[in-house]
Amino acid sequence: YQRRVHGDSWEKLHVLPEHDLVVSGIDWSPVHNKIVSCSHDRNAFVWTYDSASSKWMPALVILRIDRAALDVKWSLDGMRFAVTSGAKCAPVCTYEETNDWWVSKHLKKKFKSTVLCCAFHPHNGQLLATGSSDFKCRVYSTFDSVVDAAPDAGYFGKPLEFGEAYCELSAHGWVTSLAWSPSGNTLCFAGHDSSLHIASFSAEAAGGVIPHQVIRFRELPLTCLTFVSEKAIVGAGHDFNPLVFTCSSGAGDWTFLDKLEKKKEEAVKESSSGFAASRALFQNKTTRGQEAKSEGDSLWTTHEGTVSDICLHSPGKISTSALDGKVVVWDLPQLHISMASLGI
């Protein structure tokens, strides 16, 4: 889609039609302007724009999985991408120029169930974080001698071979989403038990215990996460309302700050008698089959379905998309959230 020059409407430019089932993941690499998509049909495609024909042309990806592909992410350098799947593995794909296709090597060790999500380190394509329905978040080595000049383990110190896990962190539910901080020193992941986990990495902690904080909240579980800054995380999911978590500058502890939306109190209460009450009763009977309208009949949140994705739009702004078909841009200063508390 492309935004029209005049007005706020968008026009559809291209349709990428190769998949047969639900498209479960998509990511766009800014390095070489390629789009990668994956689907429940167990396939993935890398799309390259051909200016001569004004079309996006697909390149074959050899995934070698027998279950649905669920999520896909590019590395920062655009040299590889990772796909999660229901086959208890995560294929990591690199380009093979001789055959003009993308071939995969599988991360298999330690997975006991479906791999739900993944994210590459923001500065090191040899580190991949994965979240699985076996209640584990793991960081793997994706070193490949074909695309990497030398092994780089970052703050983990000693490099490992491809497919070996640098660390494993536990949750008490499916790990449904994860995200790295801009510096790559902090990794957060969401548990399906309505929890947020924050792990801090440093060279001092290499080979030892990784500091790991857990925040539990009353709202429904999160399905997507993003760092607004080094000191702030925004997550959203089944509660339709994004949540903000911040880190104190002193002790470094993370806490729940606020929701992006708050319910507005009705300025004027509806009349409980007379003509207005009679009309409201008739409308409820015809549209809902109810004698009276209850408070929970309508939603007060902007989103009316599970929030499926969230990303940083610009400093102080984030965007969310949900199963209700809406894409919403949130301007945090206008929501009375202090930029100082977000570390911006």
Side-chain angles (χ1 to χ4, degrees):
Y1 286 85
Q2 183 182 55
R3 190 170 186 174
R4 297 182 188 274
V5 177
H6 303 288
D8 294 331
S9 62
W10 294 73
E11 60 177 331
K12 182 168 62 178
L13 299 180
H14 304 280
V15 177
L16 313 183
E18 292 294 325
H19 289 294
D20 298 326
L21 294 176
V22 173
V23 177
S24 51
I26 190 168
D27 199 19
W28 200 328
S29 173
V31 177
H32 41 46
N33 195 32
K34 293 182 184 293
I35 298 174
V36 61
S37 62
C38 68
S39 168
H40 289 180
D41 60 12
R42 309 190 303 275
N43 290 319
F45 293 96
V46 175
W47 304 84
T48 306
Y49 184 71
D50 181 20
S51 56
S53 61
S54 298
K55 293 182 178 180
W56 288 88
M57 307 304 294
L60 183 64
V61 179
I62 311 298
L63 285 182
R64 299 182 292 114
I65 56 176
D66 57 3
R67 295 291 187 274
L70 300 176
D71 190 20
V72 62
K73 289 292 187 296
W74 282 105
S75 62
L76 181 71
D77 55 12
M79 300 298 292
R80 77 200 94 200
F81 60 86
V83 180
T84 64
S85 73
K88 302 180 185 178
C89 67
V92 179
C93 305
T94 55
Y95 184 61
E96 188 176 285
E97 188 173 1
T98 55
N99 293 309
D100 189 27
W101 61 23
W102 294 74
V103 295
S104 64
K105 296 170 67 176
H106 286 193
L107 300 176
K108 291 182 177 180
K109 293 187 177 180
K110 294 181 177 288
F111 290 128
K112 302 296 189 297
S113 188
T114 298
V115 188
L116 297 171
C117 54
C118 66
F120 278 98
H121 189 277
H123 307 297
N124 188 347
Q126 299 182 33
L127 300 178
L128 176 70
T130 64
S132 176
S133 56
D134 60 7
F135 300 4
K136 302 291 183 183
C137 174
R138 303 177 177 93
V139 179
Y140 283 92
S141 167
T142 60
F143 169 73
D144 192 329
S145 58
V146 176
V147 296
D148 296 314
D152 183 5
Y155 32 62
F156 291 107
K158 182 182 178 181
L160 298 178
E161 295 293 325
F162 178 92
E164 298 292 334
Y166 283 111
C167 71
E168 180 179 277
L169 304 170
S170 297
H172 293 288
W174 296 355
V175 178
T176 53
S177 180
L178 43 79
W180 293 94
S181 66
S183 68
N185 294 331
T186 305
L187 174 66
C188 70
F189 58 96
H192 204 58
D193 59 340
S194 294
S195 64
L196 177 68
H197 303 247
I198 302 100
S200 300
F201 299 95
S202 64
E204 292 77 13
V209 178
I210 298 173
H212 177 199
Q213 183 182 346
V214 182
I215 301 174
R216 304 194 183 280
F217 45 88
R218 298 176 57 186
E219 288 71 23
L220 296 176
L222 304 175
T223 59
C224 50
L225 297 166
T226 189
F227 275 86
V228 179
S229 68
E230 290 290 332
K231 299 294 184 181
I233 301 169
V234 179
H238 297 286
D239 214 48
F240 311 165
N241 194 354
L243 310 179
V244 182
F245 304 86
T246 57
C247 178
S248 62
S249 57
D253 294 330
W254 289 83
T255 57
F256 170 69
L257 178 66
D258 208 347
K259 298 180 181 180
L260 287 191
E261 278 191 291
K262 294 182 179 179
K263 190 172 183 179
K264 297 179 181 179
E265 297 293 336
E266 293 182 356
V268 179
K269 294 184 178 180
E270 294 185 3
S271 173
S272 58
S273 60
F275 177 76
S278 300
R279 185 176 65 175
L281 179 62
F282 177 75
Q283 288 177 339
N284 289 329
K285 284 184 176 181
T286 56
T287 59
R288 299 183 179 87
Q290 300 173 347
E291 291 294 330
K293 182 179 178 180
S294 64
E295 186 178 353
D297 285 342
S298 59
L299 293 172
W300 55 270
T301 53
T302 301
H303 281 302
E304 298 178 351
T306 298
V307 180
S308 56
D309 200 7
I310 185 171
C311 65
L312 185 64
H313 180 277
S314 58
K317 290 185 178 182
I318 62 170
S319 62
T320 57
S321 62
L323 300 184
D324 57 5
K326 295 179 182 177
V327 176
V328 180
V329 177
W330 306 82
D331 191 346
L332 301 182
Q334 292 187 1
L335 298 174
H336 308 293
I337 296 179
S338 168
M339 293 297 98
S341 63
L342 299 180
I344 299 176

